[in-house]
């Protein structure tokens, strides 16, 4: 899809603003986030850390993320025990409250405290929050 193919009812309308909350920007997501950043009808901002919590995962940040509209939001990891950890990005919540975007797309993992906080704050402020997930990987 080219930037001109982004859906639009009327291009004369005000540009919509959306925040995409992600822990980091993995290198393999570059084409998708570049395309979203070029969309003429929606101003997407990817809110992410420039480092990954996954060893050896190449991420985009700083000059590597040129062409992608980003906002830096460091991830704080809260370890519950040896195997379980939660992720918290307070800057993403601050952006929702301060900027009042038209929509938020949050990382759809139950281990993201940020996603839970965005869902609650979005509901309270009347801002739709969508969860970005992978779907089912196997029979449950």
């Amino acid at each position: 899809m080219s930037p001109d193919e982004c859906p639009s009812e009327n291009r004369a309308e005000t540009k919509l603003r959306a925040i995409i909350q992600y822990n980091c920007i993995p290198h393999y997501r570059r084409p998708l986030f570049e395309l979203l950043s070029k969309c003429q009808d929606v101003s997407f901002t990817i809110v992410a850390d420039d480092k990954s919590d996954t060893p050896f995962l190449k991420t985009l940040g700083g000059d590597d993320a040129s062409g992608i509209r980003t906002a830096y939001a460091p991830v704080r990891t809260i370890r519950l025990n040896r195997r379980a950890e939660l992720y918290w990005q307070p800057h993403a919540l601050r952006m929702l409250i301060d900027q009042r975007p038209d929509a938020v797309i949050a990382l759809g993992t139950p281990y993201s405290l940020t996603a839970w906080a965005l869902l609650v704050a979005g509901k309270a402020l009347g801002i739709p929050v969508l969860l970005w997930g992978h779907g089912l990987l196997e029979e449950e």
Side-chain angles (χ1 to χ4, degrees):
M1 172 177 10
S2 73
D4 294 331
E5 293 174 349
C6 291
S8 173
E9 295 287 322
N10 180 357
R11 289 195 184 270
E13 293 179 12
T14 304
K15 193 173 196 177
L16 296 173
R17 294 175 301 119
I19 291 173
I20 299 175
Q21 175 266 325
Y22 231 73
N23 282 359
C24 65
I25 302 176
H27 67 93
Y28 55 84
R29 294 263 188 244
R30 175 188 283 282
L32 173 64
F33 288 138
E34 283 177 341
L35 180 63
L36 290 173
S37 292
K38 291 176 185 173
C39 186
Q40 295 180 13
D41 296 327
V42 181
S43 174
F44 288 100
T45 301
I46 293 74
V47 180
D49 199 333
D50 60 356
K51 298 180 294 298
S52 172
D53 57 342
T54 304
F56 310 109
L57 176 64
K58 183 180 178 201
T59 61
L60 304 177
D63 292 340
D64 292 337
S66 63
I68 300 173
R69 191 176 305 107
T70 61
Y72 178 65
V75 174
R76 298 179 184 159
T77 302
I78 303 166
R79 296 196 191 288
L80 300 178
N81 56 41
R82 290 182 187 166
R83 295 171 61 155
E85 43 189 42
L86 302 174
Y87 305 103
W88 175 233
Q89 286 173 287
H91 185 69
L93 183 61
R94 173 61 43 210
M95 285 184 70
L96 169 78
I97 293 167
D98 291 347
Q99 296 183 11
R100 305 285 172 106
D102 296 297
V104 174
I105 301 169
L107 193 57
T109 171
Y111 302 105
S112 174
L113 292 177
T114 311
W116 290 102
L118 290 171
L119 285 164
V120 171
K123 182 74 169 175
L125 297 172
I127 298 170
V129 179
L130 308 166
L131 295 176
W132 177 323
H134 285 268
L136 299 177
L137 299 176
E138 60 186 47
E139 291 283 333
E140 291 192 0

